[in-house]
Amino acid sequence: MNLITLLILISSILLDLGIFMQIYAENKKFFKEPKGGNYRGNISVIIPVRGIDVNFEENVKSLLNQDIKPLEIIYVVDPDDPYRETIENILKKYNVKIVHTFYNCNMCSGKIRAQISGLLRSNGDIIVFGDSDTWYPKYWLRELTLPLSKYMATTTFSFASPARLTLKNLVRAGFWTLGIESQAIGGTFLWGGSMAFRRNFFNDHVLKSLSKEWCDDCTLTRIVKERKGKIGFIGNAIPLNVYDEHNLFKWAQRQVLTVKIYSYRGARAFIPFGLYMVILLISLILIKNFLLLLPFLLWIIKNLLRGRRLGRKAILPSLLSIIGIYFAWVVLILSWRKKEIIWRDKIYIVENK
């Protein structure tokens, strides 16, 4: 055994120990510490809608099936959406509230316009923002809102659930785990598909700040941190994002740039880590030593544990999380100096905070 091989084996063992420590720390921080809480009140769930997602009707049913019943479930529909009539025909079959986007802000994204429109038409003491392409387990709302007694805001990340087993969908399934990685190594920040706040959080300053931004979760994260508040990442509330991806690179680029904005340290650390994982994979192929396979197995196990409440739905994204490492690494490198993104046919300027 030469020196280089020995060093690679030692480094892989150190990585194994690091993953074990990460599993232990995440289990305590994301799955035990945020659990519980006693904050209660009338809940308004606000869901912006644009187009018809592949899982749209199941999204509605999952929100109606929550084991803690919200005061109202508000779907905010763009009056100019070409699918507006179809969307509303689906929604009218259920006990939900339909609001048309009315709030005007020239600099903000369409999603923020919809969120503020829903907020101004809501009546709840607790405001929860979600997405129309997500299936929410029945415990999601309870797990997300009760810890507001301990945090200024709560959030969780989604596991992927591809609608079809295409190459793009499978790559995206593994890529999704980068979101939780960024929470672990760069500090907790909000994700738009699951965010909960007390109503009094939304004063005029918050509305004015949102009115100038394209990124809802980024802006709300910044405001929470400016107020010295804490964000609770609720690992027990993880839902499923159901999708059928057609433009994988642009979607992934938007995600990594969002991570870079509010987890710059984590994004920067991911570049040498990704390079090391490339070296480790090449070494595994050339050396064929089982010890070099162990970090990949532990990586999969780590993600399986993250999605344990989702049962079998966590298996596919956990297995594909290995591919996600390399794909996210390539996208991050190619996008590192990029200052703008294209989202829903509009160009937005992004800056590190």
Side-chain angles (χ1 to χ4, degrees), residues 57-195:
E57 196 155 359
E58 292 303 313
N59 168 264
V60 181
K61 292 177 182 178
S62 71
L63 289 172
L64 290 168
N65 193 42
Q66 294 297 301
D67 60 14
I68 178 171
K69 300 302 179 185
L71 171 69
E72 56 192 1
I73 300 171
I74 302 172
Y75 280 85
V76 188
V77 183
D78 189 337
D80 298 325
D81 192 319
Y83 296 97
R84 180 182 63 82
E85 185 175 350
T86 304
I87 293 169
E88 292 184 1
N89 285 338
I90 294 172
L91 293 174
K92 286 174 182 176
K93 295 189 294 183
Y94 301 96
N95 183 28
V96 299
K97 184 176 179 179
I98 301 172
V99 170
H100 289 154
T101 302
F102 65 88
Y103 188 80
N104 291 317
C105 49
N106 294 328
M107 299 174 64
C108 72
S109 65
K111 183 178 182 181
I112 288 178
R113 289 182 61 236
Q115 288 173 321
I116 297 178
S117 297
L119 174 67
L120 295 177
R121 291 287 185 267
S122 66
N123 300 294
D125 309 307
I126 301 171
I127 302 299
V128 177
F129 292 115
D131 284 339
S132 61
D133 60 354
T134 302
W135 177 85
Y136 295 101
K138 64 181 181 180
Y139 48 79
W140 169 75
L141 198 57
R142 169 172 46 84
E143 295 281 11
L144 195 66
T145 57
L146 288 178
L148 284 172
S149 59
K150 300 186 284 186
Y151 299 98
M152 184 175 289
T154 57
T155 193
T156 193
F157 195 73
S158 302
F159 257 53
S161 182
R164 297 184 301 139
L165 298 182
T166 64
L167 180 60
K168 288 181 179 180
N169 283 347
L170 292 174
V171 173
R172 173 168 166 171
F175 177 89
W176 264 111
T177 58
L178 173 65
I180 302 182
E181 295 299 329
S182 58
Q183 295 279 356
I185 61 178
T188 303
F189 54 97
L190 294 163
W191 282 99
S194 293
M195 301 187 291

Side-chain angles (χ1 to χ4, degrees), residues 258-275:
T258 302
V259 169
K260 184 184 171 187
I261 290 172
Y262 278 106
S263 184
Y264 182 77
R265 183 176 60 183
R268 187 173 57 185
F270 195 78
I271 292 179
F273 173 75
L275 177 60

